[in-house]
C-alpha cells in the first residue's frame, strides 16, 4: 500500500488562519469528489472557523478522563476503520492526554500516513523542536508542545499562512481569536508587535530553507553538479567608473536570493598619488551600496588583482562580482586584465562573476589624476622596448636570408623607437635611437662589422634616422605628457566640483571630509590642527586613519597651512608639489566645515536656551494662575475660620479644614512637579539604582488616587528591577493619577505588571477617551494638557516628569491604544540580575 501524502499549513502565530485555510481546502476537495473527513479540528469558539466545519463529515472523537477532568482526542482506530482518502488533523504538535494510543498527535498522523490516508494538518513555527530556544528568547515563553523538525520537513507540501503583525493584532482586538477577557493580556504579552514580527521572520526563513532542500533534491535527481549557495558574502570590485552602480545593484539582487547575505563594495587605489577614479562617482556608489544594506571599503594596492583577492579572502567572501573590461581590443596586448586574472587566481573557494554593462569595450578612458609622470611599470617596459628591442631585431635580421635593404631596416628600428616613446617616454626613446643607429652602422651599412661608413649616402640616411627618431620620440612623449596633464586637471576639477557641491549642500561632517582627503591622497592618517595664538600649543580638531597621532604640523609628512593658526597634517608619504594645489582646496574646505560645525553647536545651544526661556515663561504662567487657585481656596478657608462674625459648627469647621488640607496637598503636588521638571531641564537628576521589588513600590504610588479608582495586579513571581525607588514611585503615581483623571468614574484603572525576557513592564490601562496617534508624543511634552481638561486639573507636567524619571533610570515610557477604547501607558524597566525572570506558563490552547 502506498504511503499517504502529508500537507501542512505553517503559521507564525495563533490566529493567522491555518485552520481556516485547511477547512477551505477540504471544501475544495469535496467539491472535486474527494472523500475527505475531519479527524480532529478544534475551532476554539471562533465563529468563522466553526462555520467552515458545516458540511464536513466529522469522525467521532474518543472520550478520555484524566485526573477527574474529561477530554476528547482523535480516535485513530475509528479513522483507520473509516479509511477516507483525506483526513484533516489540526494542531500537529499537540500532546495527547495520557491513556491515548500515542503520546503525540504527530505519531497518530504517522499511522494514518502509513495506512495510505492523505493528511492535511497545521502547525505554528514556534512548535518546531529546533526553534525552541530561539522562540523562548524572543517571546519569553518556553513551548512545551513541540514536533520534530524532520516530521514537518518530510511533508509533501508545506504552505505558509502569512499575516502582518498589525493585521493579526487587529483580528485579536476584534475578538476573532480569543475571548474578550484574554485579549488585553495576549496583546500585551505574546502578541506584541516585536514578537509577531520576529516569529514571522522565523517562519519565512524556515520555509525558504525548505525551498532550498527541494532545489537540491531536484538537482540531484537531474544530475546537476553546480551548487546553490545561500547566505553569501559578496565582494563587489569597483573601478570608480560608471559601471559600478550596475555591479552594486546586480550584487544586491544576488544577495536578496539568500537570507543573511552580505555585500562589501571595495575600491582599490594605487599608492602613487591621487586615486584613479572620480571622487564624485565613488561618493555616489558609496551612498548606493550603503542604501542597499552593504558596506564600502577603500584599499590601497598597486597589484589590483592580488589586493582584491587578499581583501576577499580576508573577509571570508564566497563570491566576487566584477564588471566586463572597458578596455578596447588592442589594449589587451598589455595583459589579460583584472577580471581574467582574478578569475584565474581565485581558486575553488571563490566564485567570480563577470557582469556585462553599458561601458564594455568603450575604453577605460584617460588615467585620471596620475599626473605628468609615467608609472613605474610603463617606464620599465619602455626601457625594455628601447634597449632590448633593437638587439632582438638585429638578431632576427642577421639570421634570415632575405635582404630587406637599408631603408626597410631603418624603418623597423624607427618603429621600435616610436614604441619606446609611446610606452616609456623620451629617455627610453633616445636610448633606442642611439642604440639603433649604432647597430645599423655596424651590421647593415658597408663595410659590415666596422664602425665606419664608406658611402656618404648611408651617412646621410643614418643621420636622418637619428633625427627622425629623436623628433618623433619628443613629439610622442610631449603628447603623452600633455594627455596626462589634461587627465590630472580633469581629476582636480572633479575634486574641486565635489568640494563646491559639498559647500552648497551644507555638509558639516568634518570626519567625512578628512576621510575623503585620506582616500584621495592614499594617506595613513589625516588631522586638522589648530591653536589660539602663535605661542599656544596645537590641538586636534578632528582626525581619521590608523597612523600615529599628530600633535604638530612639523611631525607630519605633509602639512598645509590654513590661515595663521590652523593646518591640515597628513602622514603616510610625501606628496609631489603638483598635488598640493588640490590639497590646499581640501584644507580650506576643512576649515569651513569646522566653522560650520561650531556655528551649528552654538545654534543648538541657543535653541536650548530658547526652549528653557519658553519653559520659564510657561512656568510663570502656571504660577500666576494654577498655583493661585489652591492658594485662594486655602486663604478663603483660613479667613472664614478666623472670622468673629460667624459662629461655625463643628461640621462646617471640619469641612473648611478639609478644604485647607486638600488645597495644601494640591499645592504640594503642583510645586513638586514644577521642581522635578526644573531638575530634569537642568540635568541634575541622578538616580540611585538599586534592586527593588515592584510590589513594594507600585502600591505606594496609588496612595494619591481615590479608593477603588485603580485595580492592582502585581504578581509576586516577577523579577526585581534595577531602578531608583523614589523616582519610580513618583513616575507611576503621575501616570496613574493622569489615567484616573480621564477614566470613567465607574471603570477603574488597571495597573498590571509582567516579565518579558530581560524586561519588566508596568501597564496602566484606562477606558477613557483615548489619544489619537498624532498626539501620543505630544502628551509627554511639558505644560501640555490633552482635550478639555479644566485649568485647575494641573499644569501639564505629570507625564513629562514621569517620562523624564523613567528615561533617567534607563527605561522607556510610551502610550498605546487600549483595545476597545482608552489609553494604555507602557512603562518598561530593566530586570535586575539578582533574580532570574520567571517564564510564564501558557496553556496549549493559547500557544497553538
Amino acid at each position: 500500500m502506498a504511503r499517504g501524502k502529508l500537507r501542512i499549513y505553517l503559521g507564525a502565530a495563533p490566529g493567522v488562519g491555518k485552520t481556516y485555510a485547511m477547512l477551505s481546502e477540504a471544501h475544495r476537495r469535496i467539491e472535486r469528489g474527494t472523500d475527505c473527513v475531519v479527524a480532529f479540528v478544534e475551532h476554539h469558539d471562533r465563529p468563522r472557523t466553526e462555520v467552515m466545519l458545516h458540511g464536513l463529515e466529522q469522525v467521532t472523537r474518543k472520550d478520555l478522563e484524566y485526573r477527574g477532568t474529561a477530554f476528547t482526542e482523535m480516535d485513530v482506530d475509528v479513522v483507520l476503520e473509516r479509511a477516507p482518502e483525506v483526513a484533516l488533523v489540526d494542531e500537529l504538535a499537540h500532546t495527547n492526554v495520557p491513556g491515548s494510543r500515542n503520546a503525540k498527535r504527530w505519531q497518530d498522523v504517522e499511522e494514518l500516513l502509513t495506512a495510505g490516508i492523505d493528511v492535511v494538518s497545521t502547525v505554528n513555527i514556534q512548535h518546531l523542536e529546533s526553534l525552541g530556544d530561539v522562540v523562548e528568547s524572543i517571546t519569553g515563553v518556553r513551548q512545551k508542545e513541540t514536533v520534530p523538525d524532520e516530521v514537518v520537513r518530510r511533508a509533501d507540501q508545506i504552505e505558509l499562512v502569512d499575516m502582518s503583525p498589525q493585521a493579526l493584532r487587529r483580528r485579536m482586538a476584534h475578538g476573532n481569536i480569543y475571548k474578550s477577557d484574554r485579549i488585553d493580556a495576549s496583546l500585551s504579552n505574546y502578541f506584541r508587535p516585536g514578537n509577531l514580527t520576529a516569529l514571522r521572520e522565523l517562519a519565512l526563513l524556515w520555509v525558504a530553507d525548505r525551498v532550498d532542500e527541494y532545489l537540491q533534491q531536484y538537482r540531484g535527481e537531474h544530475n546537476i553538479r553546480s551548487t546553490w549557495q545561500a547566505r553569501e558574502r559578496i565582494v563587489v570590485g569597483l573601478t570608480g567608473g560608471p559601471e559600478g552602480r550596475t555591479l552594486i545593484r546586480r550584487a544586491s539582487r544576488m544577495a536578496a536570493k539568500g537570507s543573511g547575505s552580505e555585500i562589501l563594495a571595495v575600491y582599490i587605489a594605487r599608492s602613487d598619488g591621487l586615486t584613479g577614479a572620480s571622487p564624485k562617482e565613488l561618493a555616489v556608489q558609496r551612498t548606493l551600496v550603503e542604501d542597499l544594506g552593504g558596506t564600502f571599503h577603500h584599499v590601497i594596492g598597486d597589484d589590483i588583482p592580488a589586493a582584491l583577492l587578499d581583501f576577499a579572502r580576508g573577509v571570508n567572501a564566497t563570491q566576487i562580482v566584477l564588471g566586463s573590461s572597458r578596455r578596447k581590443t588592442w589594449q589587451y596586448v598589455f595583459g589579460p586584465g583584472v577580471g581574467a586574472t582574478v578569475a584565474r587566481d581565485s581558486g575553488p573557494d571563490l566564485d567570480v562573476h563577470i557582469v556585462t554593462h553599458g561601458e564594455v569595450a568603450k575604453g577605460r578612458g584617460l588615467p585620471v589624476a596620475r599626473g605628468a609622470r609615467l608609472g613605474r611599470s610603463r617606464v620599465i617596459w619602455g626601457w625594455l622596448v628601447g634597449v632590448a628591442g633593437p638587439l632582438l631585431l638585429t638578431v632576427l635580421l642577421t639570421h634570415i636570408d632575405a635582404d630587406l635593404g637599408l631603408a626597410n631596416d631603418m624603418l623597423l628600428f624607427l618603429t621600435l623607437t616610436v614604441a619606446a616613446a609611446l610606452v616609456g617616454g623620451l629617455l627610453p626613446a633616445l636610448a633606442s635611437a642611439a642604440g639603433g643607429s649604432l647597430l645599423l652602422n655596424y651590421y647593415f651599412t658597408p663595410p659590415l662589422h666596422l664602425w665606419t661608413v664608406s658611402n656618404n649616402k648611408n651617412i646621410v640616411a643614418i643621420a636622418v634616422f637619428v633625427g627622425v627618431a629623436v623628433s618623433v620620440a619628443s613629439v610622442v612623449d610631449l603628447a603623452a605628457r600633455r594627455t596626462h596633464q589634461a587627465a590630472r586637471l580633469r581629476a582636480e576639477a572633479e575634486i574641486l566640483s565635489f568640494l563646491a557641491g559639498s559647500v552648497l549642500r551644507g555638509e558639516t561632517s568634518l570626519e567625512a571630509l578628512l576621510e575623503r582627503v585620506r582616500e584621495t591622497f592614499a594617506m595613513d592618517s589625516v588631522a586638522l590642527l589648530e591653536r589660539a595664538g602663535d605661542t599656544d600649543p596645537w590641538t586636534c580638531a578632528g582626525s581619521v586613519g590608523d597612523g600615529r597621532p599628530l600633535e604638530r604640523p612639523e611631525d607630519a609628512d605633509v602639512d598645509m597651512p590654513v590661515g595663521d593658526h590652523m593646518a591640515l597634517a597628513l602622514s603616510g608619504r610625501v606628496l609631489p608639489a603638483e598635488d598640493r594645489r588640490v590639497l590646499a582646496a581640501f584644507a580650506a574646505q576643512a576649515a569651513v566645515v569646522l566653522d560650520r560645525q561650531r556655528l551649528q553647536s552654538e545654534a543648538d545651544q541657543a535653541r536650548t536656551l530658547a526652549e528653557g526661556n519658553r519653559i520659564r515663561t510657561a512656568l510663570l504662567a502656571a504660577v500666576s494662575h494654577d498655583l493661585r487657585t489652591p492658594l485662594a481656596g486655602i486663604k478663603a478657608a483660613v479667613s472664614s475660620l478666623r472670622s468673629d462674625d460667624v459662629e461655625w459648627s463643628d461640621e462646617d469647621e471640619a469641612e473648611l479644614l478639609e478644604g485647607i488640607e486638600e488645597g495644601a496637598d494640591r499645592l504640594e503636588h503642583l510645586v513638586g512637579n514644577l521642581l522635578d521638571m526644573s531638575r530634569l531641564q537642568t540635568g541634575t537628576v541622578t538616580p540611585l539604582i538599586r534592586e527593588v521589588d515592584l510590589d513594594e513600590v507600585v502600591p505606594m504610588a496609588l496612595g494619591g488616587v481615590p479608593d477603588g479608582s485603580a485595580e492592582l495586579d502585581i504578581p509576586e513571581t516577577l523579577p526585581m528591577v534595577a531602578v531608583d525607588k523614589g523616582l519610580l514611585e513618583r513616575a507611576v503615581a503621575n501616570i496613574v493619577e493622569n489615567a484616573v483623571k480621564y477614566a470613567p468614574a465607574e471603570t477603574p484603572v488597571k495597573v498590571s505588571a509582567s516579565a518579558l525576557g530581560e524586561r519588566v513592564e508596568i501597564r496602566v490601562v484606562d477606558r477613557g477617551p483615548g489619544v489619537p496617534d498624532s498626539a501620543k508624543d505630544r502628551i509627554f511634552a511639558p505644560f501640555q494638557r490633552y482635550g478639555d481638561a479644566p485649568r485647575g486639573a494641573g499644569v501639564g507636567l505629570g507625564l513629562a516628569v514621569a517620562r523624564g524619571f523613567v528615561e533617567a533610570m534607563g527605561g522607556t515610557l510610551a502610550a498605546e491604544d487600549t483595545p476597545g477604547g482608552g489609553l494604555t501607558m507602557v512603562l518598561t524597566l530593566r530586570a535586575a540580575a539578582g533574580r532570574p525572570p520567571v517564564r510564564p506558563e501558557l496553556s496549549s490552547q493559547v500557544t497553538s
Side-chain angles (χ1 to χ4, degrees), residues 257-279:
K257 296 180 180 179
S259 174
S261 298
E262 184 180 1
I263 303 175
L264 302 94
V266 57
Y267 171 73
I268 300 175
R270 298 184 184 274
S271 60
D272 53 351
L274 294 170
T275 58
S278 167

Side-chain angles (χ1 to χ4, degrees), residues 36 73 125 307 377 413 439 462 502 539 552 580 615 677 711 827 844:
C36 184
E73 295 287 359
I125 191 66
S377 60
F413 278 93
L439 293 174
I462 292 176
S502 65
T539 59
R552 300 180 306 167
R580 297 183 64 86
I615 292 179
M677 198 66 225
E711 293 181 355
L827 195 159
S844 60

Side-chain angles (χ1 to χ4, degrees), residues 33-54:
T34 304
D35 182 15
C36 184
V37 300
V38 177
F40 188 95
V41 170
E42 184 63 57
H43 55 73
H44 297 297
D45 296 327
R46 298 169 187 170
R48 296 185 179 181
T49 305
E50 188 175 2
V51 169
M52 292 297 296
L53 286 170
H54 297 167

Side-chain angles (χ1 to χ4, degrees), residues 474-527:
S474 300
V475 172
V476 170
D477 179 74
L478 180 62
R481 291 178 179 274
R482 291 290 182 265
T483 299
H484 284 287
Q485 289 173 357
R488 178 179 187 83
L489 293 176
R490 186 183 69 177
E492 293 180 359
E494 290 177 349
I495 294 173
L496 295 176
S497 175
F498 165 77
L499 291 176
S502 65
V503 174
L504 295 176
R505 292 190 297 268
E507 296 179 356
T508 58
S509 176
L510 179 61
E511 288 72 17
L513 181 62
L514 296 180
E515 180 65 24
R516 174 73 63 181
V517 175
R518 190 186 70 84
E519 293 181 356
T520 300
F521 294 97
M523 288 294 184
D524 295 335
S525 64
V526 178

Side-chain angles (χ1 to χ4, degrees), residues 218-552:
Y218 175 83
R219 291 177 175 179
E221 293 174 353
H222 293 77
N223 197 26
I224 299 176
R225 299 300 182 185
S226 59
T227 58
W228 192 90
Q229 298 178 348
R231 297 175 179 87
E232 301 284 358
R233 179 167 292 178
I234 304 173
V235 171
V236 184
L238 301 178
T239 64
E243 77 281 0
R245 306 182 201 181
T246 303
L247 301 183
I248 294 172
R249 295 189 180 99
R250 182 69 182 91
S252 177
R253 292 195 298 271
M254 293 169 59
K257 296 180 180 179
S259 174
S261 298
E262 184 180 1
I263 303 175
L264 302 94
V266 57
Y267 171 73
I268 300 175
R270 298 184 184 274
S271 60
D272 53 351
L274 294 170
T275 58
S278 167
K280 181 179 179 181
E281 182 62 28
L282 281 179
V284 172
Q285 294 175 13
R286 178 196 293 267
T287 303
L288 176 60
V289 72
E290 291 175 350
D291 291 342
L292 294 175
T295 56
F296 185 91
H297 303 268
H298 192 280
V299 178
I300 304 298
D302 292 325
D303 190 346
I304 293 179
L308 180 60
L309 288 172
D310 290 342
F311 175 84
R313 293 191 176 103
V315 298
N316 295 323
T318 57
Q319 300 185 53
I320 298 178
V321 176
L322 299 173
S324 297
S325 178
R326 288 183 286 138
R327 296 191 299 177
K328 296 183 180 297
T329 303
W330 63 268
Q331 292 177 307
Y332 282 95
V333 299
F334 299 104
V338 174
T341 305
V342 171
R344 181 193 64 198
D345 299 336
S346 61
D349 57 336
L350 280 174
D351 295 335
V352 180
H353 302 268
I354 305 297
V355 179
T356 59
H357 49 83
E359 303 296 323
V360 175
K362 291 186 177 180
R364 291 183 296 180
L366 297 174
V368 180
R370 291 288 301 279
R373 298 160 298 148
L374 297 175
R376 180 181 301 176
S377 60
R378 287 194 57 178
V379 172
I380 293 175
W381 277 104
W383 280 102
L384 289 176
V385 173
V387 175
L391 295 176
L392 294 176
L393 179 60
T394 301
V395 173
L396 179 64
L397 294 177
T398 55
H399 287 76
I400 60 175
D401 297 333
D403 186 10
L404 300 179
L406 182 60
N408 292 328
D409 294 337
M410 288 184 175
L411 290 177
L412 292 175
F413 278 93
L414 182 61
T415 302
L416 288 177
T417 302
V418 173
L422 288 173
V423 177
L426 180 61
L427 292 180
L430 294 178
S432 177
S437 62
L438 293 176
L439 293 174
L440 284 171
N441 181 12
Y442 191 81
Y443 287 100
F444 302 102
T445 57
L448 300 179
H449 305 299
L450 292 176
W451 298 107
T452 58
V453 180
S454 60
N455 192 339
N456 294 332
K457 294 181 179 180
N458 292 337
I459 295 176
V460 175
I462 292 176
V464 171
F465 164 77
V466 174
V468 171
V470 172
S471 301
V472 171
S474 300
V475 172
V476 170
D477 179 74
L478 180 62
R481 291 178 179 274
R482 291 290 182 265
T483 299
H484 284 287
Q485 289 173 357
R488 178 179 187 83
L489 293 176
R490 186 183 69 177
E492 293 180 359
E494 290 177 349
I495 294 173
L496 295 176
S497 175
F498 165 77
L499 291 176
S502 65
V503 174
L504 295 176
R505 292 190 297 268
E507 296 179 356
T508 58
S509 176
L510 179 61
E511 288 72 17
L513 181 62
L514 296 180
E515 180 65 24
R516 174 73 63 181
V517 175
R518 190 186 70 84
E519 293 181 356
T520 300
F521 294 97
M523 288 294 184
D524 295 335
S525 64
V526 178
L528 183 63
L529 306 177
E530 63 175 348
R531 59 182 178 180
D534 294 336
T535 59
D536 294 318
W538 291 93
T539 59
C540 181
S543 63
V544 295
D546 301 327
R548 66 181 188 277
L550 300 175
E551 299 179 356
R552 300 180 306 167

